[in-house]
Amino acid sequence: MSAVLDHGHGHDTAHDDHHGHPHGWRRWLFATNHKDIGTMYLLFSFAMLMVGGVLALGIRAELFQPGLQYVNPELFNQFTTMHGLIMVFGAIMPAFVGFANWMIPLQIGAADMAFARMNNLSFWLLIPAALMLVGSFFMPGGAPAAGWTLYAPLTLQMGPSMDAGIFAMHIMGASSIMGSINIIVTILNMRAPGMTLMKMPLFAWTWLITAYLLIAVMPVLAGAITMTLTDRHFGTAFFNPAGGGDPVMYQHIFWFFGHPEVYIMILPAFGIVSAVIPAFARKKLFGYTSMVYATASIAILSFIVWAHHMFTTGMPVTGQLFFMYATMLIAIPTGVKVFNWIATMWRGSMTFETPMLFAVGFIFVFTMGGFTGLILAMAPVDIQLQDTYYVVAHFHYVLVAGSLFGLFAGFYYWAPKWTGVMYNELRGKIHFWGSLIAFNVTFFPMHFLGLAGMPRRYADYPMQFADFNAIASVGALWFGLMQVYFFLFIVVPCMRGQGTPAPQRPWNDPDGAGAEGLEWEVPSPAPWHTFETPPKLNSAATKVIG
């Protein structure tokens, strides 16, 4: 960002005492402060990550060796379904909304989010939705077992837990839409004077585009699952062939939501990485404008590639060609981003603190996931690999290593500003290397399992797949333990204020090179109220100064 602050920043710490912000349970239950709500989102998402992780370990324990070990195939399918739903709607999406709540007002010089009470409601809706989703395990017949995509006709045959799952998804969707409206209005209406759209940090840009995506596609998901609900209880036959319906229509509607959803879960991570890499390369982000256009291009193209998930459903060759080429086209703006990150690092004065390690690790594993996606984009190849472990490997490389590593990079980068203390650097590096190695041990063998023809969502498999499955299961346990380590030995000490006090600009050299942006203009930890008088910026100079 090229800007200079003309005068004071309006973060008056005395103001905290003047208003006397609430304490105890009232502070959290009635929270309207964007920092408190962001913190609650992040803690909620980590709790959901642990629940989804336990289900993943249940899946991997069953697949450790051939034969049925611990769970029957029905419960196994419940685990795979709930693992996907909880990770997507309970862990990754709320975590990025938490980052948006914390960072967007700080980055654009706003006092808070535009609709503070709606912000509170959009968080608290997640709690009953999550309880309903997880509680479906205890309903007659167990949790939904139709896969996280909730394909008909399986969903039409499930027990009452399917209805609970549908209502939970509706509530989470309403939360997402409210959060998105809040983010859009905040960014468009509450930027500091002088901060034009093209001077905003990339994280704010990626979230602005993501919020529009959410508003566009969450109602599509709501429509699909409502049609499922009316098929189940009200005599309609949208997806029931016996009544003239078409299960493939469900796939079209779901993936019209589902593919933009994939980018909803990765674009904010692009924004985080675009903040971290320039800070630790001590250079400006290479090609800022092209990054903004690339992000918008990815979002637009994401609407025209949905049927690449459906090459085996009897699509005409013309359709296969269109979706194949459209999918390959989306690799171009993604490649622009990767090129710009590497060009930013090129000949920079790089240091490798934990945020930078996670950002570089993100580029490495996300690019691998992108290449396997390009392979799956080719219809003839995809027909062979459809619904095999190759697909599982691909999307975990993009989502676990992509979204999750982006979230970790953001946590380590901004946690000193949130908590006022520095995390333990050695522990951060243990977390990074442990996670990176364990992740690859878990998911890299799955490429070979998929190429050899092992289908996903099966509780048992023949002997020839045993070795790679055993390796993957050991890696999964290791990866899960690394995240428990992260919480106990990095997050908890930071929340308790244990550690060396963080300076106002923890990532800057004595000469000022390093992290830039308005969030570094406030003290560490960031006061409860910031920027009550909007900071005035002018575009004459090259960086923000106090």
Side-chain angles (χ1 to χ4, degrees), residues 46 50 412 424-432 435 478-493:
F46 192 84
M50 291 293 102
Y412 285 107
N424 183 302
E425 190 65 55
L426 174 64
R427 290 178 184 175
K429 286 179 174 166
I430 291 169
H431 176 224
F432 168 73
S435 296
W478 180 11
F479 187 79
L481 291 173
M482 289 314 302
Q483 309 329 312
V484 176
Y485 172 88
F486 164 69
F487 187 75
L488 293 179
F489 295 102
I490 296 158
V491 176
V492 171

Side-chain angles (χ1 to χ4, degrees), residues 395-407:
F395 72 71
H396 281 87
Y397 263 82
V398 175
L399 284 182
V400 180
S403 301
L404 199 60
F405 279 23
L407 286 163

Side-chain angles (χ1 to χ4, degrees), residues 324-474:
M324 181 167 84
Y325 292 138
T327 307
M328 290 180 174
L329 194 61
I330 215 164
I332 295 171
T334 313
V336 167
K337 286 181 164 297
V338 174
F339 174 82
N340 285 6
W341 291 324
I342 293 169
T344 304
M345 291 189 281
W346 178 252
R347 302 189 73 177
S349 303
M350 285 200 290
T351 53
F352 290 96
E353 289 87 349
T354 311
M356 185 63 161
L357 288 175
F358 269 107
V360 174
F362 167 94
I363 295 172
F364 170 65
V365 281
F366 175 78
T367 304
M368 286 176 66
F371 277 127
T372 55
L374 210 49
I375 290 165
L376 289 169
M378 290 184 274
V381 179
D382 182 80
I383 287 165
Q384 295 298 314
L385 297 174
Q386 169 81 13
D387 266 332
T388 68
Y389 266 76
Y390 193 91
V391 179
V392 178
H394 155 68
F395 72 71
H396 281 87
Y397 263 82
V398 175
L399 284 182
V400 180
S403 301
L404 199 60
F405 279 23
L407 286 163
F408 287 143
F411 172 83
Y412 285 107
Y413 183 57
W414 284 310
K417 186 57 63 186
W418 298 346
T419 63
V421 295
M422 297 299 293
Y423 63 87
N424 183 302
E425 190 65 55
L426 174 64
R427 290 178 184 175
K429 286 179 174 166
I430 291 169
H431 176 224
F432 168 73
W433 288 110
S435 296
L436 182 73
I437 296 166
F439 170 80
N440 282 289
V441 168
T442 306
F443 293 103
F444 199 72
M446 292 186 190
H447 292 103
F448 302 113
L449 288 169
L451 288 165
M454 180 174 166
R456 62 177 173 169
R457 297 179 184 153
Y458 276 50
D460 194 7
Y461 54 85
M463 195 65 210
Q464 64 261 37
F465 299 137
D467 292 347
F468 277 148
N469 268 301
I471 292 168
S473 292
V474 170

Side-chain angles (χ1 to χ4, degrees), residues 312-324:
T312 55
T313 56
M315 195 188 303
V317 172
T318 315
Q320 290 188 358
L321 285 170
F322 171 81
F323 287 107
M324 181 167 84

Side-chain angles (χ1 to χ4, degrees), residues 14 41 94 162 176 218 242-243 304 319 378 403 413 445 481 503 513:
Y41 265 110
M162 191 69 235
S176 290
M218 289 312 287
I304 62 163
M378 290 184 274
S403 301
Y413 183 57
L481 291 173

